[in-house]
Amino acid sequence: MFIIAFITFMFFVYRRSLLSLHFLQQEGYENKNFFKFIFHKLQLIDKYLTVVVFLYTVLSVGYKNYIIDMSVLSLIFLIFAFIQINPMSATSKKKLVLTLRAKRILYLSIIIDAVLAGIIFYTLHTLKNYCLCEDVGYLLLLIQVIPFMLIVSNILLKPFELLVRHKYVKEAEKRLNEVNPIVIGITGSFGKTSTKNILHHIVSSVAPTLTTARSINTLMGITQVIRSDLKKNHKYFIVEVGTSAKGKIKKICSLIKPKFGILTAVGFAHFANFKNQESLAKEKMDLIKSVNSNNGVSVINTLQVDKKFIPDMANLIFLSDTVENKNTYKISNIKQDINGVNFVLSFGGKNYKIEAPIFGLHQANNISMAIILAFKLGIPTDTIIASLKTLKQVEHRLEVKKQPNGITIIDDGFNSNVDGFVSALNTLRTLANNGRAILITPGMVELGKKHKEHHIRVAKEALLKCDIVIAVVPERIKDFVDTFKNSMNKNQQLILVGSFKEALAWTTKNAKKGDVILYENDLPDLFETKIRI
C-alpha cells in the first residue's frame, strides 16, 4: 500500500515542481532571485496540503491503521495534484517551456524528492508499532522543500550546464567564422527591439539579413540563433544585446565581434541589479568599446544617453536635437497623427522628411538611429526612405489595432520604461479624438529606487491624457494609484483590478465605439499570478 501512496505523492511532487519551475525559468534560472520569490509573501511555501496532512495525522492517532492512512493520504495527494496550477496551460501569459535545461533541472529534483519520499514511506511501512505521527514531520518538510529542490538541482547541474554552454558557444563561433556576416549590435535600456526591427526592415530590402527574433538578447539565446538560423547567404546579422548584470554584454561581444553598434538609451531598467545609472552606462558602453576595438562605427542617441557616460573615442556618430559637428545628426519637428509618426532628419547640410506608419513619438529616435546605421552600411538614401513607408508595426510595442466594433486597441504590452510609457499616453490621446482614452496598466518593473518617482511621473501624465485608468495589481503601484486618485477630476475614473483578465472583462462590458484602449505593459506571471498553495 505504501507504493500507491508513494506514487500519488510523487505525482503531486511533479505537478508542484512544474509550477515552481515556471517561476525559476522566468527568473532566468537565477537561484538568488528565485529564492527571494519563494519567500515573497510566502507564495511558494505550502499551506493547504500541509494543514490537511497535519490535521489528518492528529485524527489518525486514535486508530493507527496503516491501510486506512495510506489510502486517505493517496486520495489527498491526488486531489492536490489535480487542483495544482498548470503553468503550461493557455491561461499562463508566458507558458513554462520545457527546454532541455528545464527538463534536466526538473527531473533531477524529482529524483532527489523520490529518494527522500521513498525512505519516508518505506519507514512507515516497516514500523513495528505503526503510527503515521512517527514520520509525518519528515513528509511535511518534504512538501515544503519542493521548490528548494529545484535550486539544489540547478546548483548540482551547474558544471554540466557550463560544459554545454561552452560547447554551444564554440559551435556558434565556428558558424560565425564560416559565414562571416557584418555584425551589428544594438543595446540600450529601451528601444533596442524596435530599433532592431526597423533596421532589419531597411537592410533586408537590399541584402539577406538575419536578426535575433522577438526579444532574444542573452548569450545563450543569441548562440542558439547563430547555430540554428545563420545561413551562408546572410550578409548582415543584427543582434539585440541585453544585460541584467555586470559583464554580460562583454561576453556577448566576445562571441559576435560587432562591426557596428547602436546605443539607444541609458535609462533606469535593471536598477535593482546595477544600483545606479553610471554602473548601467558602463555596462552598455561595453558594446561601443567592442565595436571600436574592431575598427567599427557606433551610433549613440545622446537624447537618451548623458554625454558624461560616453568615452572619448573615434568613429562615434551622435543623434541629437542640435548640430554640434559633422558627426552629429539632428532630429526635429517630431509629430504624430492617425497615419503614424513623421519628423525631419538633418545631416550634411540637407534635411530629409521621414514618414513611417508606426506610432509613438519615441519611435522617431529609433527610426533615426536605424537610418544613420543604414547610411554607414552604404545603403542609398532613397532606398532607406522608401522602405520606411512600408514599415510594419511591431507586435506588442505600441501596436495600433482597430477593432470591428469601432474600438481601437493600442498594445504596448512589452514596454516597461518611463519614456515609452509617456509616449504611449501621447499616442492614446492623439487617437482618442471622439471617444474615451482608457489606460490599462500594472505599472513598470525593475526600476529599483526609481519605482516611486517614475510611477508618480506617469500618473501625472495619465491625469492629462486619460479619461479612465484601470490599475492592475494596484498594491504594487501605490504611488501611481494615489497620485491619480488624489488629483483626478469629476469626469475621470479610476478602477482597481487584481489581474489583466479582470481589466479585459471590464472593457468588454463597458467600452464603447470610438474608445481607444491602451494596454501599457503586461506583467509576467511571477508579478501578477496569485499563488494559493
Side-chain angles (χ1 to χ4, degrees):
M1 196 66 200
F2 86 93
I3 294 177
I4 295 176
F6 169 76
I7 292 174
T8 55
F9 178 73
M10 289 310 303
F11 179 54
F12 164 76
V13 168
Y14 171 74
R15 297 276 293 184
R16 176 61 60 79
S17 296
L18 280 178
L19 174 65
S20 301
L21 181 62
H22 187 209
F23 297 108
L24 175 61
Q25 188 175 77
Q26 290 194 31
E27 291 287 9
Y29 300 104
E30 295 289 342
N31 289 331
K32 182 179 178 180
N33 293 341
F34 181 58
F35 187 83
K36 291 179 180 178
F37 178 80
I38 292 172
F39 285 104
H40 177 65
K41 297 182 180 179
L42 301 179
Q43 50 195 347
L44 280 185
I45 301 299
D46 184 273
K47 305 164 192 70
Y48 299 119
L49 179 58
T50 299
V51 171
V52 170
V53 172
F54 176 77
L55 290 177
Y56 175 74
T57 302
V58 174
L59 293 173
S60 70
V61 173
Y63 53 84
K64 297 181 181 180
N65 187 300
Y66 172 75
I67 301 296
I68 293 177
D69 286 351
M70 292 300 106
S71 299
V72 172
L73 285 178
S74 297
L75 180 60
I76 291 172
F77 296 145
L78 277 176
I79 291 172
F80 275 86
F82 280 117
I83 65 175
Q84 194 71 55
I85 298 172
N86 180 8
M88 293 185 287
S89 70
T91 58
S92 294
K93 290 182 181 180
K94 187 177 181 180
K95 297 179 183 180
L96 169 65
V97 181
L98 286 177
T99 61
L100 291 176
R101 181 179 184 183
K103 288 179 180 178
R104 287 192 289 267
I105 293 172
L106 175 66
Y107 297 154
L108 179 57
S109 70
I110 289 177
I111 289 171
I112 298 171
D113 287 324
V115 171
L116 297 175
I119 293 172
I120 293 170
F121 284 105
Y122 183 74
T123 301
L124 285 170
H125 175 70
T126 57
L127 285 175
K128 291 182 178 181
N129 298 313
Y130 170 79
C131 180
L132 179 58
C133 58
E134 287 288 332
D135 268 11
V136 73
Y138 297 110
L139 182 59
L140 294 178
L141 179 62
L142 186 55
I143 292 171
Q144 296 292 354
V145 300
I146 291 172
F148 297 96
M149 288 303 178
L150 293 172
I151 295 177
V152 172
S153 177
N154 200 16
I155 293 172
L156 293 175
L157 287 168
K158 189 171 183 178
F160 178 77
E161 296 297 341
L162 289 174
L163 288 174
V164 171
R165 287 162 64 98
H166 180 74
K167 176 178 179 293
Y168 288 166
V169 169
K170 287 298 180 183
E171 290 176 358
E173 285 180 346
K174 181 180 178 182
R175 187 64 182 165
L176 278 171
N177 289 333
E178 290 173 349
V179 178
N180 193 30
I182 295 172
V183 180
I184 305 158
I186 302 176
T187 193
S189 297
F190 48 85
K192 52 186 177 290
T193 303
S194 295
T195 303
K196 175 192 68 179
N197 290 328
I198 295 166
L199 181 61
H200 175 259
H201 182 79
I202 297 171
V203 175
S204 61
S205 68
V206 297
T209 304
L210 175 65
T211 305
T212 49
R214 303 181 302 281
S215 294
I216 293 175
N217 57 28
T218 64
L219 176 62
M220 296 316 297
I222 294 166
T223 296
Q224 179 60 30
V225 171
I226 295 170
R227 292 172 61 243
S228 61
D229 300 332
L230 186 62
K231 308 302 180 186
K232 289 184 178 180
N233 68 323
H234 282 133
K235 181 177 180 180
Y236 299 106
F237 181 30
I238 305 173
V239 184
E240 181 176 329
V241 181
T243 184
S244 58
K246 295 178 181 179
K248 290 188 178 290
I249 288 181
K250 188 175 291 186
K251 288 181 179 179
I252 293 173
C253 289
S254 68
L255 167 65
I256 64 173
K257 298 178 176 58
K259 186 69 175 178
F260 295 88
I262 295 177
L263 175 54
T264 62
V266 174
F268 301 95
H270 303 300
F271 249 38
N273 294 329
F274 287 97
K275 306 304 179 185
N276 58 64
Q277 204 173 19
E278 185 175 0
S279 296
L280 180 59
K282 186 176 180 180
E283 172 72 10
K284 298 295 184 184
M285 287 300 167
D286 280 341
L287 170 66
I288 307 304
K289 291 178 180 177
S290 178
V291 171
N292 191 263
S293 67
N294 295 323
N295 296 315
V297 176
S298 293
V299 179
I300 300 177
N301 178 15
T302 58
L303 298 170
Q304 298 288 354
V305 180
D306 195 313
K307 293 180 181 179
K308 68 181 181 182
F309 297 135
I310 302 174
D312 183 15
M313 58 176 63
N315 299 328
L316 297 184
I317 306 298
F318 304 111
L319 175 65
S320 181
D321 54 6
T322 59
V323 176
E324 297 178 359
N325 53 51
K326 64 179 181 179
N327 293 327
T328 302
Y329 288 67
K330 178 184 175 181
I331 185 171
S332 60
N333 298 330
I334 304 172
K335 298 177 183 178
Q336 178 178 244
D337 55 32
I338 59 173
N339 297 313
V341 65
N342 62 82
F343 59 95
V344 174
L345 187 63
S346 306
F347 56 92
K350 296 181 179 180
N351 298 322
Y352 294 88
K353 180 68 179 293
I354 308 296
E355 298 176 343
I358 61 174
F359 296 88
L361 296 175
H362 68 290
Q363 292 287 16
N365 288 346
N366 300 331
I367 295 169
S368 296
M369 287 181 285
I371 291 173
I372 296 168
L373 203 289
F375 286 150
K376 296 304 172 183
L377 293 176
I379 301 175
T381 304
D382 291 343
T383 300
I384 296 171
I385 294 176
S387 68
L388 289 171
K389 294 184 182 299
T390 60
L391 188 62
K392 295 180 180 180
Q393 296 188 82
V394 181
E395 189 178 13
H396 306 305
R397 296 180 187 278
L398 215 59
E399 179 187 11
V400 177
K401 298 177 283 189
K402 295 183 178 180
Q403 307 300 301
N405 59 5
I407 295 171
T408 300
I409 302 295
I410 305 174
D411 184 354
D412 202 29
F414 281 3
N415 176 57
S416 187
N417 72 84
V418 65
D419 294 294
F421 201 134
V422 171
S423 181
L425 289 172
N426 288 327
T427 303
L428 173 63
R429 189 68 270 167
T430 298
L431 298 184
N433 290 322
N434 302 315
R436 296 173 298 176
I438 303 172
L439 167 66
I440 300 176
T441 185
M444 299 165 284
V445 298
E446 296 182 327
L447 295 177
K449 294 179 180 179
K450 296 289 183 177
H451 183 89
K452 178 178 180 179
E453 175 187 333
H454 286 342
H455 279 101
I456 290 175
R457 177 186 169 190
V458 294
K460 290 179 179 178
E461 289 290 334
L463 285 164
L464 299 174
K465 308 291 170 50
C466 303
D467 299 301
I468 299 172
V469 169
I470 304 177
V472 181
V473 194
E475 59 270 19
R476 68 170 298 276
I477 51 171
K478 187 176 182 299
D479 299 299
F480 173 88
V481 171
D482 290 346
T483 301
F484 189 88
K485 183 178 181 181
N486 294 335
S487 300
M488 66 182 188
N489 62 48
K490 63 180 181 179
N491 296 318
Q492 290 178 307
Q493 189 175 359
L494 175 65
I495 299 167
L496 309 180
V497 297
S499 68
F500 195 75
K501 184 178 180 180
E502 290 180 45
L504 292 181
W506 187 94
T507 57
T508 300
K509 183 179 179 181
N510 297 284
K512 306 172 184 177
K513 182 179 180 180
D515 287 348
V516 180
I517 305 171
L518 168 62
Y519 302 153
E520 183 57 32
N521 197 20
D522 190 8
L523 293 177
D525 302 78
L526 77 167
F527 285 106
E528 185 177 303
T529 302
K530 288 182 172 59
I531 307 169
R532 297 183 177 90
I533 60 176

